[in-house]
Amino acid sequence: MTSTDTSANPASPDPAASPDAAPVMLALHQTTLGGPEVLRLTELPRPAPGPGEILVAVHAAGLNPTDFKHRALSIFLPPPPLTLGWDVSGTIVQTGFGVTLFRPGDEVFGMLPYPHGAGSHAEYVTGPARAFAVKPAGIDHIQAAALPLAALTAWQALVDTADLRAGQRVLIHAAAGGVGHLAVQLAKERGAHVTGTASAPKHDFLRELGADACVDHRTEDFTDTAERYDVVLDALGGETATRSVGVLRPGGVVVSLLPGDADTGAAAEKAGVRAVGLLVEHDRAGMRAIAELVERGRLRAHVSGTFPLAEGARAHAQGETGRTTGKLVVTVR
Ligand SMILES: NC(=O)c1ccc[n+]([C@@H]2O[C@H](COP(=O)([O-])OP(=O)(O)OC[C@H]3O[C@@H](n4cnc5c(N)ncnc54)[C@H](OP(=O)(O)O)[C@@H]3O)[C@@H](O)[C@H]2O)c1
């Protein structure tokens, strides 16, 4: 029998199911776009895993700026009703038809397909088995839930897109934030020289993560330097993308997580560098690489705040101040 033979691998039973178990769950749900107050703890039908999917009992779920943005605006998703949340760490309750990688009871973490797979700010969520990896044993669900979207973004930017190598020099904007603090660690792990931008009170944090140099974005201009970088990770976009072109070596690359301004493309062409925009994708290979770095003690999420699911609105309000150090996490069970 090969691993693609699913005849002996039908949908597995739900060990949590009992004749009395109600097929419902609580979710942080919204029926209209707006501020954090539109988020309501709501009873919804519990989802069932389709072919190739797993049903996960969510223990914790990371919060990302895309959650605040999609709560307020229809960017990539259809209008509400919506349950947001892409990060998840939890225990598999049930596997759908054809899933060979996991079994009920496995502890996993992952990022649901971005953008259309959201729904982890709830007691249960379904997603493709291949969006997940086994949770590293040495970290708890809160730590694990803080990693997927932000760490995959850093990995896909620095490794998959920029092919960052030992000895290269990298500038990481917003280096104390969710993506940035993981990117600093990934870049150091690859042997790069790392400069990070953050306000001065966060420079000790950046140095603890391994940053070699810090720029205070409130009092210093990151372009006011003779330093030239091979790679810039730009979490700010707009004019920062265009201005980042000016600090690259010929052949360098700026990877932006938000759109640049009207001048970015022309500035890059003129300077002989690449300016690319990245949208994070669910990625089992990336998740496994992240898990392996965590297991080796080379990557760790800094969780600066946790909020029970019922207080998700408060988590959103805190996150959208834009001042978060590391990550905020919603705890579910
Ligand atoms: N394209 C994609 O796939 C993708 C993926 C992930 C994230 N993103 C986007 O990337 C951005 C960052 O995400 P995140 O999760 O890292 O956000 P975050 O955790 O909310 O970032 C907060 C950090 O940003 C720093 N910051 C704010 N303004 C800054 C500036 N002008 N210069 C330097 N640092 C600044 C703050 O440091 P100070 O308090 O010191 O200023 C704070 O520590 C968000 O807009 C997010 O939507 C896009």
Side-chain angles (χ1 to χ4, degrees):
M1 187 172 72
T2 69
S3 62
T4 53
D5 180 353
T6 55
S7 59
N9 184 37
S12 58
D14 176 0
S18 79
D20 303 327
V24 293
M25 65 172 188
L26 291 173
L28 195 64
H29 194 66
Q30 62 186 101
T31 54
T32 174
L33 298 172
E37 70 283 353
V38 303
L39 297 168
R40 297 280 158 81
L41 199 61
T42 305
E43 197 170 84
L44 294 176
R46 198 173 82 177
E53 291 187 335
I54 55 176
L55 172 68
V56 180
V58 180
H59 286 258
L63 195 69
N64 293 285
T66 190
D67 292 306
F68 333 136
K69 294 177 187 178
H70 279 96
R71 186 205 67 228
L73 294 169
S74 283
I75 304 168
F76 294 134
L77 297 179
L82 287 175
T83 300
L84 296 171
W86 282 269
D87 281 336
V88 53
S89 182
T91 306
I92 297 180
V93 171
Q94 193 179 354
T95 55
F97 180 80
V99 172
T100 58
L101 294 174
F102 302 116
R103 298 173 173 198
D106 286 351
E107 300 203 321
V108 292
F109 73 139
M111 187 193 82
L112 299 167
Y114 189 85
H116 294 291
S120 68
H121 292 169
E123 290 180 319
Y124 294 89
V125 72
T126 54
R130 285 176 189 274
F132 290 83
V134 172
K135 179 183 79 63
I139 59 170
D140 62 20
H141 283 292
I142 292 174
Q143 274 281 317
L147 284 163
L149 188 148
L152 280 178
T153 302
W155 179 269
Q156 291 171 9
L158 295 179
V159 181
D160 293 346
T161 305
D163 190 22
L164 184 67
R165 307 265 176 97
Q168 289 191 321
R169 302 178 88 82
V170 58
L171 172 65
I172 297 171
H173 289 296
V179 175
H181 87 294
L182 298 167
V184 169
Q185 297 172 67
L186 284 181
K188 287 309 296 178
E189 164 64 15
R190 295 186 82 75
H193 179 281
V194 178
T195 301
T197 69
S199 56
K202 298 184 178 177
H203 287 190
D204 284 347
F205 174 62
L206 296 194
R207 289 201 186 88
E208 282 161 23
L209 297 171
D212 300 287
C214 303
V215 176
D216 180 356
H217 66 84
R218 292 195 178 150
T219 59
E220 296 173 73
D221 181 340
F222 72 90
T223 65
D224 190 12
T225 174
E227 174 79 89
R228 289 295 174 264
Y229 303 98
D230 300 285
V231 176
V232 179
L233 175 51
D234 161 34
L236 301 167
E239 64 159 25
T240 301
T242 302
R243 298 179 72 236
S244 295
V245 163
V247 296
L248 283 172
R249 290 185 175 150
V253 58
V254 51
V255 185
S256 290
L257 306 181
L258 296 178
D261 64 17
D263 300 326
T264 308
E269 198 174 325
K270 192 169 164 207
V273 302
R274 277 197 304 149
V276 296
L278 179 142
L279 194 65
V280 66
E281 295 177 61
H282 71 285
D283 172 1
R284 176 166 163 79
M287 284 306 302
R288 294 184 78 191
I290 289 159
E292 195 253 342
L293 286 169
V294 170
E295 272 156 10
R296 286 200 290 118
R298 307 311 299 251
L299 184 69
R300 189 173 188 282
H302 174 85
V303 178
S304 60
T306 60
F307 299 81
L309 187 63
E311 293 177 28
R314 215 158 55 77
H316 274 238
Q318 181 164 323
E320 65 192 347
T321 63
R323 301 270 81 89
T324 302
T325 300
K327 295 289 303 176
L328 302 177
V329 173
V330 174
T331 56
V332 181
R333 54 164 65 74

